[in-house]
Amino acid sequence: MFKHQDALETLNKDIPLGEKLRFIHAFLHQQFDFIDRIAIALYDEKTDLLKTYVHSSGLDIPLQHYQSTLAEAPSLQEIIRLGRPRVVNDMSFLAGSSKVHSQRIGAQGYGSSYTLPMYSNGCFFGFLFFNSYRSDVFSESALHYIDLYGHLLELIVINELAEVRALVASIKTATNMALQRDFETGYHLERMSNYARLIARDLADKYGLTDDIVEHIFLFAPLHDIGKIGIPDHILLKPGKLSAEEYEIMQKHVGKGVEIIDAMVANFGLQEVKHIDILRNVAHYHHEAINGSGYPQGLKGEEIPPEARIVAVADVFDALTSRRSYKDAWSNDAAFALLLELSDSKFDRDCVQTLIARREEVEQIQARFREETIS
């Protein structure tokens, strides 16, 4: 009765999406040995960004830590417009492309590709790419089977993202309730999370961050101050300088944040959410300082998790450049100057310099998520 071995039982294991992708690639390769790469890119409707996420291409990585607006990829836009996948059995035309992503794919030497749009409840959320070094291999008979595995991968991605987004949504709901207390604005969270993604993407190689970790830093960054829900109003909303006793109470928001996160993870049954430690680290350590003068543990330098160092710079930069009821907005130049001055003491210099180097994208984020009114 139990002699049959489920060939896909590995997918039942609690392993990262990247490992599942590589497993399916290896399984498919047994029948279709021409498939040399499978890659997933996610779409962010708010910013029109298409971002690399996970891939199975081993050491051949033509695109990593890469993002581009969908508006810059008309051929991919056509896939969405038609609502149908795209087969390209001769990719030699990429040699003359002016698009960076096309140039990199072409330079890698791929001969053909199959692109499947991914949808969740009718809403487009990304692409699944199959690439081969050979030309003319994606026949109708092959695609009949490849489609099955493509949609299986789509469901796996949907399931993983649904867990993350359920956690983020539940904590954001609590955060939005706290926002009614006016300790920060909604657009602040949008801006600082996008700044965090900029920094994380550019420092990914140095800090050993994969594309899916970069994406999780972006998703979790807005939740850094969730613990402020547990701080009394007379301290949280105090317009003047806090007393030593009040400041000690305020510092407890980082520990309260981890408590809230752990409670929500348990209450919503989200223990299987990948990279949950990134969220805990962002909440717990974003007030640590490079020289050890921060809190709650006085960590120094690389003792501070990179995601916390990244979020700290993104958060403070936006706080400085945002107008509040008690202060005017600083100019970008003034904010950059202060961050540089505090580099190597409070902030990670790499994070600061990376943000400054991406000034054009910073200004695009500011324009897209500009505050209309501040109460």
Side-chain angles (χ1 to χ4, degrees):
M1 290 177 65
F2 299 100
K3 291 182 179 180
H4 175 69
Q5 181 72 37
D6 177 7
L8 298 178
E9 69 172 343
T10 296
L11 299 179
N12 294 327
K13 297 179 180 179
D14 181 22
I15 57 177
L17 175 62
E19 288 187 33
K20 291 183 179 180
L21 180 64
R22 288 187 287 274
F23 171 78
I24 290 179
H25 184 179
F27 188 84
L28 261 176
H29 200 265
Q30 297 173 21
Q31 185 173 1
F32 305 106
D33 64 354
F34 56 81
I35 297 178
D36 297 301
R37 173 181 182 257
I38 304 176
I40 293 170
L42 299 182
Y43 179 65
D44 181 355
E45 185 178 14
K46 289 182 180 179
T47 56
D48 193 44
L49 286 175
L50 194 63
K51 305 161 289 182
T52 53
Y53 190 52
V54 291
H55 65 86
S56 66
S57 42
L59 297 177
D60 297 333
I61 310 174
L63 288 173
Q64 189 174 19
H65 315 321
Y66 181 79
Q67 64 183 34
S68 175
T69 62
L70 190 58
E72 296 177 279
S75 62
L76 295 179
Q77 284 183 300
E78 188 70 1
I79 293 174
I80 300 170
R81 188 185 71 82
L82 295 174
R84 300 182 63 181
R86 179 191 67 183
V87 179
V88 180
N89 269 318
D90 181 1
M91 300 183 72
S92 59
F93 74 95
L94 292 178
S97 175
S98 61
K99 307 298 183 184
V100 173
H101 52 276
S102 297
Q103 291 173 352
R104 292 188 187 178
I105 292 292
Q108 187 65 41
Y110 293 120
S112 55
S113 74
Y114 178 54
T115 306
L116 188 70
M118 297 189 294
Y119 295 88
S120 177
N121 295 323
C123 296
F124 168 72
F125 72 91
F127 289 109
L128 185 58
F129 300 96
F130 296 84
N131 293 111
S132 174
Y133 285 112
R134 307 180 209 173
S135 299
D136 299 313
V137 290
F138 289 104
S139 64
E140 282 299 319
S141 59
L143 290 173
H144 175 76
Y145 291 99
I146 293 172
D147 279 343
L148 294 175
Y149 289 96
H151 285 288
L152 173 61
L153 277 169
E154 180 182 42
L155 291 172
I156 292 172
V157 175
I158 289 172
N159 181 65
E160 173 160 308
L161 293 178
E163 289 180 340
V164 174
R165 287 169 178 166
L167 175 60
V168 171
S170 62
I171 298 179
K172 274 189 174 180
T173 299
T175 303
N176 289 338
M177 293 169 62
L179 286 176
Q180 302 305 314
R181 302 163 78 196
D182 199 32
F183 65 79
E184 59 191 4
T185 67
Y187 276 153
H188 161 68
L189 301 179
E190 295 282 5
R191 289 190 300 267
M192 63 82 58
S193 62
N194 276 279
Y195 299 152
R197 179 165 59 191
L198 281 181
I199 299 169
R201 188 191 72 208
D202 279 12
L203 293 177
D205 288 335
K206 181 165 186 172
Y207 289 169
L209 309 177
T210 59
D211 281 333
D212 63 322
I213 289 178
V214 171
E215 183 67 11
H216 280 77
I217 291 173
F218 162 70
L219 289 171
F220 292 150
L223 311 180
H224 64 289
D225 269 340
I226 183 63
K228 286 185 175 179
I229 293 175
I231 302 301
D233 282 352
H234 73 275
I235 295 175
L236 186 66
L237 305 179
K238 184 176 179 179
K241 184 177 179 179
L242 299 179
S243 67
E245 181 181 356
E246 289 170 336
Y247 185 60
E248 185 177 349
I249 294 172
M250 177 65 85
Q251 289 180 334
K252 293 180 180 179
H253 81 274
V254 296
K256 291 180 182 294
V258 176
E259 292 173 7
I260 291 170
I261 290 165
D262 287 343
M264 287 190 169
V265 166
N267 292 339
F268 286 91
L270 296 172
Q271 291 86 348
E272 302 304 316
V273 171
K274 302 297 183 294
H275 304 306
I276 194 67
D277 283 343
I278 293 176
L279 176 53
R280 292 191 180 99
N281 289 342
V282 163
H284 204 202
Y285 300 119
H286 67 280
H287 283 292
E288 296 286 1
I290 295 298
N291 64 3
S293 63
Y295 64 88
Q297 295 181 359
L299 301 180
K300 295 181 179 180
E302 293 186 0
E303 293 175 347
I304 307 169
E307 54 267 31
R309 285 179 266 156
I310 289 167
V311 168
V313 170
D315 182 37
V316 172
F317 173 75
D318 194 69
L320 291 171
T321 55
S322 298
R323 184 167 65 87
R324 295 290 182 264
S325 58
Y326 53 85
K327 78 171 188 70
D328 291 330
W330 289 32
S331 69
N332 287 343
D333 286 333
F336 286 147
L338 180 61
L339 291 176
L340 276 175
E341 180 184 333
L342 296 177
S343 292
D344 299 329
S345 58
K346 182 172 177 59
F347 302 114
D348 183 309
R349 181 171 292 275
D350 289 335
C351 294
V352 172
Q353 291 179 330
T354 297
L355 187 67
I356 294 172
R358 289 292 179 179
R359 179 171 188 145
E360 182 178 350
E361 288 167 273
V362 165
E363 292 175 350
Q364 290 172 357
I365 291 168
Q366 290 172 327
R368 183 178 291 270
F369 298 109
R370 180 180 290 114
E371 303 286 351
E372 296 181 2
T373 59
I374 297 181
S375 56

